Amino acid sequence: MNISNFFSQYSTEAECRRFFKSRKEQAGIVCSTCGSLVHYWIEKESRWKCQYCGKSMSLKSGTVMEHSNLGYKVWLWGLYFMSLTKKGFSALEMQRLLNHSRYESIWLMMQKIRIMMGQRDEKYDLDGFIEMDEGFFEGHRKKDEEGLITKPAKELDRQVKAIVAVSTTPIVISKHKKGRPVTKPGYLKISIVESLCKTDIAYEAEKMLAKTADVTTDGKTSYRVLKGLCKNHRAIVVADKKEVSKIFPWVHTAISNAKKKILGLHHSVKNIYMQNYLNEFCYKFNRRYFGIKLFDRLILAALEKSCYGPIPKSE
Ligand SMILES: [Zn+2]
């Protein structure tokens, strides 16, 4: 839906509430007590009631909006803006766009949407040829009393470690240009890890990869654990660091673009929220050809019965 149509159709709270109601009814309402699909709507309370057992369900329950005091218009416009650009918005920009008085509420709404994006992507495994490597993302830098950024004791102290995997497909030879990668990227996953030991790698790989995946990594010994977790694991020992980006072109492009986006837009992200920002990056990367359909997909995810906790407390 283009911008002018969107804002002319959903300019009031009532129109936005009607939108969510109709989309939720299209998706189907199931009673959590008796499993019935037959409900009736109580307009005054914005609730459905189960025709068989009488259990009532609010429009927000079981959606990303559950437990939120923000209005339907803020949520619908917020979801629309989150789907509008590849780059995204900072919470401050979003607060201005929505003309909302509280920064914290908008920040929290955006974190919930990012968590939801991550949960959506968790439903899919990466399969086929996979490039896997570790990435280091720059976390929050403390400021001293004068507002100057203080250097951490060690450079690595503020870096967040992550396992990054991209599925790839070979390019038809006639289209291949010299010096360019011989594959094109498919889907991307980035997961923050405590450490890069084999236990953490095995845990993330099991969540990310299909059993039939064919994975290429560098020669680090902790990646040997992948052997039992996927169809094939190929370790390439890279002697010259400059060659790494040629051997793993897409995983390194993804890491570099994610870093640029997070640093450029959000400047400084606390380590505990880094996964949420990476979720948004991966979600949009994985749906980069969706165009304006991205909004519909985001609405589907927002209204799906999911677990949205634990939600971070507002800063
Ligand atoms: Zn029921």
Side-chain angles (χ1 to χ4, degrees):
M1 190 179 295
N2 68 39
I3 290 184
S4 63
N5 285 347
F6 179 84
F7 290 117
S8 63
Q9 276 187 50
Y10 306 110
S11 60
T12 66
E13 183 69 11
E15 282 162 349
C16 296
R17 191 179 69 128
R18 261 200 303 278
F19 169 88
F20 282 121
K21 176 179 176 276
S22 129
R23 287 299 179 96
K24 202 150 187 227
E25 283 171 345
Q26 276 171 30
I29 300 155
V30 184
C31 175
S32 58
T33 304
C34 73
S36 158
L37 301 173
V38 190
H39 296 79
Y40 57 90
W41 175 251
I42 306 166
E43 180 66 26
K44 258 201 298 191
E45 299 173 26
S46 274
R47 296 178 88 82
W48 288 278
K49 209 162 197 180
C50 172
Q51 192 152 322
Y52 292 97
C53 74
K55 166 119 179 161
S56 74
M57 182 168 53
S58 79
L59 184 46
K60 287 183 177 173
S61 74
T63 75
V64 72
M65 301 177 283
E66 191 159 18
H67 309 305
S68 168
N69 292 325
L70 291 173
Y72 295 105
K73 185 172 159 183
V74 173
W75 271 103
L76 187 60
W77 285 30
L79 285 158
Y80 185 71
F81 285 130
M82 290 287 274
S83 72
L84 199 58
T85 68
K86 226 196 259 184
K87 199 171 156 234
F89 294 102
S90 68
L92 198 60
E93 286 170 329
M94 185 70 91
Q95 185 196 1
R96 286 183 195 137
L97 285 168
L98 297 172
N99 194 24
H100 197 271
S101 57
R102 279 184 57 94
Y103 169 85
E104 291 77 10
S105 309
I106 300 303
W107 179 89
L108 188 58
M109 175 182 78
M110 293 177 82
Q111 295 299 338
K112 288 180 180 180
I113 295 172
R114 292 183 181 115
I115 291 170
M116 173 192 95
M117 288 171 163
Q119 288 175 339
R120 196 71 184 177
D121 270 350
E122 270 180 20
K123 290 174 185 280
Y124 309 102
D125 291 335
L126 296 181
D127 206 354
F129 296 104
I130 313 287
E131 289 177 20
M132 185 183 266
D133 204 356
E134 60 270 9
F136 298 90
F137 294 89
E138 191 163 304
H140 187 64
R141 283 187 280 182
K142 279 185 187 156
K143 289 184 180 174
D144 63 18
E145 285 164 5
E146 289 169 0
L148 298 169
I149 290 168
T150 55
K151 276 196 165 181
K154 285 185 217 155
E155 188 66 14
L156 279 176
D157 283 355
R158 67 159 191 266
Q159 289 192 324
V160 181
K161 302 174 199 74
I163 299 292
V164 185
V166 188
S167 65
T168 63
T169 46
I171 291 176
V172 179
I173 294 299
S174 62
K175 286 186 182 168
H176 172 59
K177 290 187 183 155
K178 211 179 167 198
R180 298 261 178 91
V182 292
T183 56
K184 61 177 184 177
Y187 298 99
L188 166 70
K189 282 181 185 269
I190 306 180
S191 276
I192 300 291
V193 284
E194 270 293 307
S195 79
L196 296 165
C197 69
K198 62 181 184 183
T199 313
D200 282 359
I201 289 175
Y203 179 76
E204 292 306 327
E206 274 203 292
K207 282 201 300 179
M208 286 180 172
L209 306 174
K211 293 264 184 277
T212 46
D214 187 326
V215 187
T216 305
T217 65
D218 62 26
K220 265 182 216 71
T221 52
S222 41
Y223 285 123
R224 285 183 197 158
V225 73
L226 294 174
K227 204 155 194 181
L229 300 171
C230 56
K231 190 178 83 180
N232 189 32
H233 171 229
R234 192 180 306 107
I236 300 178
V237 180
V238 192
D240 183 357
K241 275 196 171 177
K242 287 179 193 159
E243 294 295 305
V244 174
S245 59
K246 287 184 190 161
I247 297 165
F248 305 103
W250 296 117
V251 84
H252 283 258
T253 303
I255 292 168
S256 148
N257 289 345
K259 277 182 187 176
K260 267 188 241 163
K261 185 191 154 183
I262 292 169
L263 255 181
L265 191 60
H266 307 289
H267 309 302
S268 180
V269 169
K270 282 191 178 170
N271 292 6
I272 53 164
Y273 305 127
M274 184 65 82
Q275 183 68 61
N276 298 346
Y277 293 88
L278 292 169
N279 287 350
E280 184 182 359
F281 181 81
C282 290
Y283 184 89
K284 288 185 176 174
F285 179 90
N286 292 336
R287 292 157 186 82
R288 61 197 177 279
Y289 302 122
F290 280 30
I292 52 172
K293 284 185 189 155
L294 188 63
F295 171 66
D296 280 325
R297 307 308 277 258
L298 202 56
I299 293 294
L300 265 181
L303 295 180
E304 194 178 69
K305 178 81 183 160
S306 298
C307 165
Y308 292 106
I311 298 293
K313 291 241 179 325
S314 177
E315 277 183 322

